[in-house]
Amino acid sequence: MKSELELRGVQQRFHARGVADGYITAVDDVSFSLAASPPQIVSLVGQSGSGKSTIARNVLGLQKPTAGSVLYGGKDIFKLSRAEYDEYRRDVQPVFQDPYAIFNPFYRVDRVLWKALKKFKLADTRAKGLELIEESLRAVRLEPENVLGRYPHQLSGGQRQRIMLARVHMLRPSFIIADEPVSMLDAQVRKHFLDILLDFQTKHGMTTLFITHDLSTVYYLGGEVMVITKGQIVERGPVSTVMHEPSHPYTKLLLDSIPQPDPDQRWTSRIAVDELERVDDANPAADTKPEAPIL
Amino acid sequence: MRILTAVLRTIRNSRRLAAGLIILGVMVLLALFSPVIVNAIGGGKDPIEVAAYEKWLVPGPGHLLGTDQFGRDVFAMVMKALSVSLQIGAIAGIISTVAGVIVAFVAGYKGGWIDGILSTFTGILLVIPTFPLLIALSAYAKNVSLFQVGVMISIFSWPFAAKTIRSQVLSLRTRPYVDLARVSKARDLEIIVTELLPNLLPFIGVGFASSALGAIFGLVGLEVIGLGPGGVVDLGQIIYNAITTGALTLGAWPMFVVPIVLLTLLFAALNMVNIGLEEVYNPRLRGVAGE
Ligand SMILES: Nc1ncnc2c1ncn2[C@@H]1O[C@H](COP(=O)(O)OP(=O)(O)OP(=O)(O)O)[C@@H](O)[C@H]1O
Ligand SMILES: [Mg+2]
């Protein structure tokens, strides 16, 4: 497994109607790297529309950036040989935001696990495959008999999201790209999920890019944090440093805008909405279509 | 197998769909057995041969629906024509649906300039007034086969199927489960067949039913105004004969009424299938009772 995932000057533009120059820049000259060892958790925080999901799609090879490159083991992921591509696919895996839409309603939930087994040749017999599936489900604290053979609508959001984690557990990638994986889960299930991620880091040495707009989960996970606004990464550092001594004005504003966990401090200083807007005027909600066909 | 259970589940969820399919099923059965029925009526000879019987016999025990101006048994003719109408619907429906699905998938899934070209082409075909063109075409088509008629009509009906299905493909291809399939190394064709197609079955069903309906009635329309292609005797042709010969005044009303009743039933059945499918995939249309 390659040891590094790197973004070099990645830019992603989308055609948009009703904007001055005919396109919006969702990701603007973003460079950063993630190391597989030591395994770490790097959070990417920013408000809605700042380009977080687009970065995730670029890293996962689902969207080719308009400029710059995503490198896996030093090579552009869109120019890999067959064998390198297979390795990259196995080694960089996602957990998406919506636990409902991630399952094709037509099939039972087991299918995503069997598909992963088959496509990545993890087991040569069905019995062995089932064994792996059950082991991975237990690793994410799911009882196989409670989920196998069910349709997605028969499971809770937390269960479904943990099936995605079980899939990751089976594949053992070096990198997990988690795009707001807990934003649709309630507080208790959320903690559960984060604990499993931390578990994966320590037990299986997985590095996670954790995308979120929620600073309390960033606190909880620890590790490093990157702050993104308007498609640009403005700050990166250990969570404690960035949280306590933010260097960029946007980070300060972001920190001010969340209620403190300490009840005495809650909402002491109010910030006006237009203050946020001035620093980060949200991208125009325009009728947009991708510049390059998504493929 | 999985598709079959899904189809059964869909049918059980909609009474309209079930009713439409039952009517359709009965008509298809009648059409399938029409050679047998025609034979039984003829009792050894061909009942739809010219001058097989006396002209203009009124409905009675020997000839349930009477005979026409050439002495042909109307019941036998109607049975045969029903089978012809259904075959034309099926041929045009299948061609339109297959063409529509392929174009829709290529355009919708690939996107970009391919989508641009295909959508423009489909759009042009959609705005061309079809009926005058069909009239022109059938003027040239004097002795055509049933299959040729089906093909001719489907030229104009596939864009409708393509349009509906394309917009569904566009909305489905950005679903997260498609992304998940891609990071699981699924190829384009595999994604189309295993992830998108099953979710499109109702739309494909609607595309088929509307094209078949359009084809059957397009042909009837041509024939009733006397411009049908020669050589194909479908239900519309019988109605046309009834009109031109003044069959109603001669007491041969079944020649006019029976084909119309059959066409109405067919229309109702195909539309019930359409609406039923729509109800299933668009739950907002479903009654408050839910599933
Ligand atoms: N396929 C696309 N076509 C056109 N515009 C897009 C597309 N994907 C994203 N955008 C635009 O790019 C910008 C960044 O979107 P992105 O989804 O990356 O934001 P985000 O930070 O993930 O926001 P959120 O927190 O709401 O998920 C937005 O303005 C969005 O409208
Ligand atoms: Mg997002």
Side-chain angles (χ1 to χ4, degrees):
Chain A
M1 302 278 149
K2 299 287 194 300
S3 58
E4 206 184 47
L5 201 52
E6 186 188 353
L7 273 71
R8 208 175 274 170
V10 168
Q11 182 213 53
Q12 182 70 58
R13 302 204 300 201
F14 293 108
H15 280 307
R17 257 168 262 151
V19 197
D21 33 12
Y23 60 82
I24 53 167
T25 307
V27 178
D28 190 5
D29 191 22
V30 162
S31 303
F32 66 83
S33 66
L34 293 174
S37 62
Q40 50 187 312
I41 292 192
V42 179
S43 299
L44 178 62
V45 273
Q47 71 175 64
S48 189
S50 53
K52 306 183 297 294
S53 296
T54 308
I55 290 180
R57 295 179 61 78
N58 288 144
V59 173
L60 287 165
L62 294 171
Q63 174 102 46
K64 196 172 195 292
T66 30
S69 46
V70 179
L71 308 175
Y72 170 72
K75 289 201 181 124
D76 191 324
I77 57 165
F78 289 97
K79 294 173 189 153
L80 296 177
S81 71
R82 186 70 195 265
E84 288 167 334
Y85 178 81
D86 284 354
E87 194 188 335
Y88 156 75
R89 269 285 166 247
R90 162 111 193 238
D91 209 23
V92 182
Q93 283 292 328
V95 180
F96 292 112
Q97 174 174 18
D98 188 341
Y100 300 88
I102 198 64
F103 288 97
N104 192 332
F106 195 76
Y107 299 103
R108 293 173 211 276
V109 292
D110 327 16
R111 179 168 172 267
V112 296
L113 301 172
W114 284 109
K115 194 133 194 175
L117 278 174
K118 216 170 81 193
K119 289 286 180 180
F120 295 98
K121 303 189 176 69
L122 303 183
D124 25 83
T125 65
R126 215 183 145 77
K128 197 135 170 288
L130 190 61
E131 204 173 294
L132 277 179
I133 287 179
E134 292 187 340
E135 182 198 326
S136 291
L137 286 173
R138 295 214 172 85
V140 297
R141 286 155 235 169
L142 282 173
E143 281 307 314
E145 55 271 28
N146 290 345
V147 292
L148 292 181
R150 303 273 194 111
Y151 281 95
H153 68 268
Q154 297 171 315
L155 299 179
S156 73
Q159 285 176 315
R160 296 188 221 189
Q161 208 60 320
R162 273 183 285 156
I163 290 179
M164 284 298 128
L165 280 182
R167 181 179 171 279
V168 166
H169 182 267
M170 257 171 27
L171 292 171
R172 301 282 158 88
S174 309
F175 301 97
I176 304 175
I177 311 299
D179 186 2
E180 307 206 35
V182 294
S183 66
M184 293 174 87
L185 306 180
D186 68 46
Q188 205 182 346
V189 181
R190 179 175 298 191
K191 182 176 173 300
H192 209 120
F193 185 98
L194 297 177
D195 287 340
I196 296 171
L197 264 191
L198 289 167
D199 222 39
F200 282 6
Q201 180 196 1
T202 49
K203 279 203 199 128
H204 307 298
M206 300 185 198
T207 285
T208 301
L209 176 65
F210 190 87
I211 295 175
T212 182
H213 55 250
D214 173 30
L215 287 176
S216 58
T217 46
V218 176
Y219 267 122
Y220 189 78
L221 287 170
E224 274 192 90
V225 61
M226 296 188 286
V227 179
I228 182 172
T229 176
K230 287 190 268 182
Q232 288 177 320
I233 291 183
V234 292
E235 184 151 1
R236 177 176 185 170
V239 170
S240 51
T241 318
V242 174
M243 294 292 181
H244 293 117
E245 302 145 31
S247 64
H248 191 275
Y250 176 75
T251 317
K252 290 195 184 102
L253 208 57
L254 201 65
L255 287 170
D256 284 346
S257 64
I258 54 156
Q260 297 296 309
D262 178 353
D264 296 333
Q265 278 194 17
R266 190 173 287 171
W267 298 113
T268 42
S269 61
R270 291 198 165 192
I271 56 151
V273 174
D274 59 17
E275 196 181 342
L276 250 180
E277 304 265 277
R278 234 176 300 131
V279 179
D280 190 312
D281 49 325
N283 276 312
D287 184 10
T288 56
K289 88 174 206 276
E291 189 159 78
I294 309 175
L295 243 214
Chain B
M1 194 47 224
R2 196 172 283 134
I3 288 185
L4 200 71
T5 45
V7 169
L8 286 177
R9 197 166 3 121
T10 311
I11 294 173
R12 235 184 305 132
N13 282 339
S14 165
R15 226 169 294 150
R16 269 205 197 85
L17 182 57
L21 286 175
I22 289 171
I23 299 178
L24 213 57
V26 171
M27 297 185 94
V28 168
L29 274 182
L30 276 180
L32 283 178
F33 285 102
S34 67
V36 182
I37 298 173
V38 169
N39 251 331
I41 292 168
K45 64 177 180 175
D46 184 1
I48 41 188
E49 210 176 28
V50 174
Y53 308 101
E54 265 179 64
K55 293 189 220 178
W56 298 124
L57 287 175
V58 288
H63 303 282
L64 279 180
L65 302 179
T67 58
D68 73 349
Q69 77 270 31
F70 299 122
R72 297 177 291 191
D73 184 89
V74 174
F75 187 46
M77 277 174 71
V78 166
M79 279 302 123
K80 200 164 173 215
L82 173 67
S83 143
V84 169
S85 282
L86 285 178
Q87 283 178 60
I88 285 174
I91 292 168
I94 289 171
I95 294 176
S96 308
T97 311
V98 170
V101 166
I102 292 174
V103 170
F105 271 112
V106 174
Y109 191 77
K110 275 291 174 194
W113 61 269
I114 302 179
D115 187 23
I117 291 175
L118 285 175
S119 297
T120 310
F121 183 61
T122 317
I124 291 173
L125 276 176
L126 277 175
V127 296
I128 292 180
T130 314
F131 203 63
L133 267 178
L134 262 183
I135 291 176
L137 255 182
S138 74
Y140 283 99
K142 268 307 156 226
N143 258 313
V144 288
S145 71
L146 194 153
F147 183 75
Q148 284 166 324
V149 173
V151 172
M152 192 175 93
I153 292 177
S154 60
I155 295 172
F156 300 101
S157 55
W158 71 262
F160 289 94
K163 193 170 162 249
T164 351
I165 297 168
R166 172 180 166 271
S167 63
Q168 285 308 311
V169 173
L170 282 182
S171 104
L172 286 180
R173 70 160 191 190
T174 55
R175 296 285 157 95
Y177 57 73
V178 173
D179 285 339
L180 187 70
R182 277 208 238 146
V183 299
S184 304
K185 292 205 294 189
R187 311 207 155 268
D188 282 359
L189 196 64
E190 188 182 344
I191 291 178
I192 287 175
V193 173
T194 66
E195 306 285 342
L196 303 184
L197 210 54
N199 289 300
L200 280 167
L201 284 178
F203 297 90
I204 293 170
V206 168
F208 176 81
S210 347
S211 317
L213 200 64
I216 293 169
F217 282 85
L219 191 59
V220 169
L222 280 180
E223 278 159 345
V224 167
I225 57 171
L227 294 169
V232 174
V233 181
D234 68 328
L235 289 172
Q237 193 74 47
I238 298 182
I239 296 175
Y240 176 67
N241 284 342
I243 296 171
T244 50
T245 55
L248 276 176
T249 57
L250 297 166
W253 55 268
M255 214 177 138
F256 185 69
V257 175
V258 174
I260 287 183
V261 168
L262 283 177
L263 281 173
T264 311
L265 270 177
L266 192 61
F267 187 81
L270 284 171
N271 266 324
M272 276 196 275
V273 170
N274 262 353
I275 296 169
L277 284 172
E278 224 160 304
E279 268 177 351
V280 174
Y281 68 68
N282 189 350
R284 264 174 303 166
L285 293 177
R286 222 179 279 157
V288 269
E291 281 192 301

